Amino acid sequence: MTIQTPFGEFSTADEVAAGIDLTGTRAVVTGASSGIGVETARTLATHGAEVTLAVRNVEAGERVAAEIRGQGGKVDVRPLELGDRASIAAFVEAWQGPLHLLVNNAGVMALPERTLIDGQEAQFATNHLGHFALATGLHRALAAAGGARVVAVSSSAHLRLPVLFDDLTFSFVQYDPWISYAQSKTANVLFAVEATRRWADDGITVNALMPGGIATGLQRHVDMEALLAVRRAAGASEQMKTVEQGASTSVLCAVSPLLEGVGGRYFEDCHEATVLTDRTQADGRHGVAPFALDPANAERLWEVSERLVA
């Protein structure tokens, strides 16, 4: 049964978390120095969680932490560069004790030129492989928490492309900023599917989500007028979400009792997305592609990812 909740497209993170006491919960939010990562971290912290901001820019992270502490939240800041294996390894090694919530929020979007990081295409390396290495590295901490949740921030862009297993680096397929981004976002969903299967005995559930259209620093390589034109052509609303609204589905997946024991699914606007059978059914913002939920694709991607991050 597809999960529906009392919340919707323009619900805020605070509304989703209302009445939930996260005292004693430890959380990590990547990319929590800007955009919806800040609001996700703030909501978790002001509802009682002890939150670690895992960020590239520690100075920016400290400014965010100061603001959250001013609202009564408990936060600390640690450096994390998802494109740097040594940085990920250092973060994992430094972590002590259980971890109840891991929100894989950070990412890059529509890099204009094909770039390689350790031999892998940069958007795939950052958005998927970096978070894969982080989550698998923290697996023991997640298992120790009992009932931990992992949240993978994906995008409706995944509808554009499955994972190109035979050409992950665009060595033959012509590179396109949005096609590359789409592949990495499909990978985020497949990670949720396979991690939930593999980690079921540890009580860990993993869900992916589309936060919605939000104007943040993530779009620094994007022509916003062109993006709005695409939304109009697809029949989608031009109204953008606020960061408070954009963080709501992340918070839902992280803490809502409505998702207790639920994993391997894809959410949008605080509801589980409808599985589409054809891209012509998509309006550019809603729905999930069958290839992003396919167990065989998910298992294959996991095995490939293990080799690539080894």
Side-chain angles (χ1 to χ4, degrees):
M1 178 180 295
T2 301
I3 295 175
Q4 301 292 299
T5 78
F7 309 105
E9 181 175 3
F10 298 112
S11 296
T12 66
D14 270 333
E15 289 170 346
V16 169
I20 298 175
D21 183 3
L22 298 176
T23 301
T25 299
R26 302 177 74 204
V28 169
V29 181
T30 69
S33 61
S34 64
I36 64 171
V38 173
E39 183 61 17
T40 301
R42 186 199 66 78
T43 302
L44 297 177
T46 55
H47 284 78
E50 298 177 16
V51 182
T52 295
L53 314 183
V55 298
R56 294 180 62 186
N57 186 333
V58 174
E59 184 178 348
E62 290 291 359
R63 288 195 294 269
V64 172
E67 293 175 5
I68 296 175
R69 291 182 190 119
Q71 299 175 50
K74 294 181 179 180
V75 292
D76 71 304
V77 181
R78 303 190 192 185
L80 178 68
E81 170 54 74
L82 289 167
D84 183 341
R85 295 180 189 178
S87 175
I88 298 169
F91 186 96
V92 168
E93 185 176 355
W95 188 266
Q96 299 292 322
L99 174 61
H100 303 85
L101 303 174
L102 172 60
V103 183
N104 290 336
N105 166 82
V108 293
M109 173 190 281
L111 298 181
E113 302 292 336
R114 175 178 176 265
T115 305
L116 299 182
I117 298 176
D118 289 335
Q120 298 305 312
E121 191 278 317
Q123 295 194 77
F124 185 78
T126 302
N127 297 346
H128 168 62
L129 289 177
H131 279 129
F132 177 86
L134 178 67
T136 53
L138 291 171
H139 172 249
R140 288 186 180 180
L142 291 164
R149 297 191 193 186
V150 180
V151 178
V153 178
S154 181
S155 168
S156 59
H158 85 273
L159 294 165
R160 290 172 173 252
L161 194 75
V163 171
L164 298 174
F165 287 105
D166 295 322
D167 192 16
L168 293 172
T169 59
F170 293 89
S171 299
F172 294 90
V173 175
Q174 183 174 356
Y175 178 83
D176 175 272
W178 285 108
I179 292 299
S180 166
Y181 180 68
Q183 172 176 247
S184 72
K185 295 291 101 178
T186 296
N188 292 153
V189 188
L190 290 172
F191 167 75
V193 173
E194 183 65 5
T196 295
R197 185 186 74 83
R198 288 182 179 241
W199 295 345
D201 289 345
D202 300 310
I204 302 168
T205 55
V206 188
N207 287 296
L209 67 101
M210 157 64 168
I214 312 122
T216 69
L218 182 64
Q219 288 88 19
R220 59 187 174 276
H221 299 296
V222 178
D223 181 335
M224 292 304 293
E225 287 301 319
L227 179 60
L228 289 173
V230 170
R231 289 163 70 100
R232 285 194 293 271
S237 169
E238 295 181 42
Q239 183 175 355
M240 303 292 278
K241 293 184 179 183
T242 65
V243 290
E244 293 83 4
Q245 295 163 342
S248 63
T249 309
S250 295
V251 171
L252 180 93
C253 290
V255 303
S256 175
L258 298 172
L259 272 63
E260 188 70 36
V262 173
R265 306 195 192 190
Y266 175 89
F267 290 80
E268 60 190 15
D269 296 338
C270 295
H271 303 293
E272 185 178 355
T274 300
V275 179
L276 307 179
T277 58
D278 190 291
R279 194 178 168 197
T280 59
Q281 298 174 337
D283 65 1
R285 294 178 60 204
H286 298 100
V288 60
F291 55 71
L293 297 174
D294 181 74
N297 287 347
E299 184 175 15
R300 184 180 182 186
L301 178 64
W302 189 284
E303 293 172 352
V304 168
S305 300
E306 282 187 322
R307 292 197 298 271
L308 292 177
V309 303

